[in-house]
Amino acid sequence: RVRTAVDGLQALEFLRLEKADLVITDIQMPRMDGFGLVEALKADNGLKGIPVIIVSSLESPEDQERGLLLGADAYVVKRKVDQTELLDAIRRMI
């Protein structure tokens, strides 16, 4: 089952009501971006164990490093995304 949120704040609200097995997030979102979402998830004792994959058009090494340092389990660049690799990563994490 897949649930979608329009931004990081809504995702946090949903996750606090019903935990997920995995979060896939973009970086560029209104109200709370993906970096903020990952940081909030990893700071929340009840949610920090949920694996997170960032899928973003931001491809600089600095953005990728920031996402991973905040606690994301993987960072996938949209331009380079291989659906098979993404699905394999999802299977490994759940």
Side-chain angles (χ1 to χ4, degrees):
R1 194 175 97 199
V2 175
R3 295 185 65 193
T4 60
V6 296
D7 59 33
L9 286 177
Q10 188 180 52
L12 274 177
E13 291 172 17
F14 288 166
L15 291 165
R16 287 182 175 138
L17 293 173
E18 182 181 348
K19 287 186 188 171
D21 295 320
L22 172 75
V23 171
I24 299 176
T25 186
D26 196 348
I27 296 297
Q28 298 171 307
M29 298 184 290
R31 296 194 309 159
M32 176 187 280
D33 69 11
F35 291 131
L37 174 60
V38 173
E39 187 172 28
L41 285 172
K42 298 307 176 178
D44 185 310
N45 286 333
L47 302 175
K48 68 182 178 184
I50 299 172
V52 178
I53 299 174
I54 294 172
V55 180
S56 177
S57 60
L58 301 178
E59 57 183 280
S60 76
E62 294 82 14
D63 288 325
Q64 294 177 46
E65 181 179 4
R66 181 177 177 198
L68 295 171
L69 286 174
L70 287 171
D73 298 277
Y75 191 111
V76 178
V77 176
K78 286 181 183 178
R79 182 176 66 81
K80 301 175 184 177
V81 70
D82 176 328
Q83 185 175 355
T84 303
E85 285 182 39
L86 180 58
L87 291 172
D88 286 345
I90 292 169
R91 284 186 195 99
R92 282 192 307 271
M93 292 183 196
I94 56 173

